[in-house]
Amino acid sequence: MKTEYDLSKMSSRKNPYASKLKKPVTMRLSEDVIAYFKGMADESGVPYQSLINLYLRDCVAQHRKLSIDWPSQP
């Protein structure tokens, strides 16, 4: 392997995976939800934020919808 490489002739190009990158967001989650995923993270060795992302991705893939029944206000 060479000790030096001439990179001056290389051309740049767009990252083909840029559209698949994760977008940082701020969310407020209940403490028990975070504790649940952190516990799973400790067991599996996968970061808890990745587990939350995997769970949400599965919800998207399965087209899961929540059934929420809000109490009506008087």
Side-chain angles (χ1 to χ4, degrees), residues 11-37:
S11 61
S12 65
R13 62 181 179 142
K14 284 186 148 188
N15 182 348
Y17 301 104
S19 64
K20 298 179 190 232
L21 295 177
K22 294 178 182 176
K23 179 177 181 163
V25 295
T26 301
M27 295 177 63
R28 294 192 181 283
L29 301 174
S30 302
E31 287 184 25
D32 57 335
V33 171
I34 300 230
Y36 175 79
F37 281 100

